[in-house]
Amino acid sequence: MTVLTGTPLAGRVAVITGASSGIGAATALRLAGLGAKVAVMARRKDRLDDLVATVQAAGGTAIALPVDVTGRESVNDAAAEVAERLGTADLVVNNAGVQLISPITDLRQDDWQRQIDLNITGVMNVIGAFLPHLTAAAGSGRPADLITTSSIAATRILEKFSVYSGTKAYISHLTRLLRVELGPKNIRVATIEPGMVDTELPSHVTDPDASALMEGLLTEIDPLRSADVAETVAFIAAAPRHVNLTEITILPTAQAV
């Protein structure tokens, strides 16, 4: 992949959810470095404030929006604040998510619900709040991107991943369906399906055996870094307006499944 240089995203307004760490934080830094104004969303205000300070210290523009994306009204309020402070968002990175793998027979129903709430409902809340922004941007002739973070778990059959994989399969297929409706409106819809990424996500796993499995994978192979995925997001967004890179799977070279 060509590494982007200069400011190909100058003039664009980007919203990144799940931006307090990992892929979201790296994506915010990368998009800001390429000239976009960024609004970073997550629950942890202290981390967002640190991220905004880093962007600003480098000469970029960023605002922090401490929001739980599972709350529809909070996300709608955040969309209004983006419009007021930065302008119409034309690049939405729908990245917030959680991974809580365990055997289905453990009946960890609270974990099931948390994944559904964040990985599905949260994604839909962000789409509902920011689709009017994207529609307006595309209608005025600007690029408009809706990019969602899925996972290779959307298509791989992985033991103990049932609910998590189901939420990611929803995202990947939703992306295909949205493209049918939004592509003719010149809104690009894309999903990224990463393999093993060295982020804090595995630390969310509550099942001891599953946690050991994830930690083992991280030590057995050279995993992706958050910056690798961020570069992929930037590449999608910087493509010419008539080019939609619809589904990208990104794996560590040594990852077999």
Side-chain angles (χ1 to χ4, degrees), residues 20 135 194 211:
S20 59
T135 301
S211 181

Side-chain angles (χ1 to χ4, degrees), residues 25-250:
T27 298
L29 290 171
R30 186 62 177 132
L31 299 184
L34 293 172
K37 295 182 287 187
V38 298
V40 292
M41 295 175 57
R43 293 176 299 169
R44 294 177 287 187
K45 182 178 184 301
D46 56 337
R47 293 203 179 190
L48 293 182
D49 289 341
D50 290 344
L51 180 59
V52 166
T54 300
V55 171
Q56 292 175 340
T61 300
I63 62 172
L65 300 171
V67 172
D68 183 342
V69 296
T70 64
R72 185 189 305 172
E73 291 306 317
S74 296
V75 179
N76 288 340
D77 290 345
E81 186 171 350
V82 170
E84 180 180 348
R85 297 177 62 184
L86 298 181
T88 302
D90 57 23
L91 172 51
V92 176
V93 183
N94 216 347
N95 171 73
V98 67
Q99 180 187 70
L100 302 173
I101 58 177
S102 64
I104 200 71
T105 51
D106 281 1
L107 300 178
R108 295 176 182 252
Q109 291 176 280
D110 287 344
D111 285 357
W112 301 352
Q113 193 61 54
R114 186 178 172 204
Q115 291 175 100
I116 292 166
D117 289 345
L118 186 53
N119 299 359
I120 294 179
T121 303
V123 164
M124 297 309 299
N125 286 342
V126 171
I127 292 171
F130 286 98
L131 185 54
H133 285 237
L134 296 174
T135 301
S140 66
R142 294 160 53 191
D145 288 285
L146 174 62
I147 303 171
T148 305
T149 304
S150 182
S151 167
I152 63 164
T155 55
R156 271 62 166 183
I157 307 302
L158 304 170
E159 186 180 5
K160 301 182 180 181
F161 279 70
S162 299
V163 177
Y164 176 74
S165 292
T167 65
K168 292 303 182 177
Y170 175 93
I171 288 170
S172 290
H173 199 52
L174 175 71
T175 301
R176 301 177 191 112
L177 295 166
L178 291 179
R179 195 176 305 120
V180 173
E181 291 192 63
L182 300 180
K185 300 179 185 297
N186 288 311
I187 298 172
R188 300 187 294 199
V189 186
T191 187
I192 298 175
E193 296 181 348
M196 181 60 67
V197 186
D198 188 6
T199 71
E200 67 176 31
L201 203 60
S203 69
H204 299 166
V205 177
T206 53
D207 177 76
D209 292 338
S211 181
L213 170 66
M214 301 292 287
E215 291 175 4
L217 286 173
L218 285 172
T219 58
E220 289 169 10
I221 66 172
D222 186 12
L224 300 172
R225 280 64 169 174
S226 296
D228 300 323
V229 183
E231 191 65 43
T232 305
V233 173
F235 189 76
I236 292 171
R241 183 170 180 255
H242 69 284
V243 176
N244 187 6
L245 299 168
T246 59
E247 297 180 38
I248 295 181
T249 300
I250 174 171

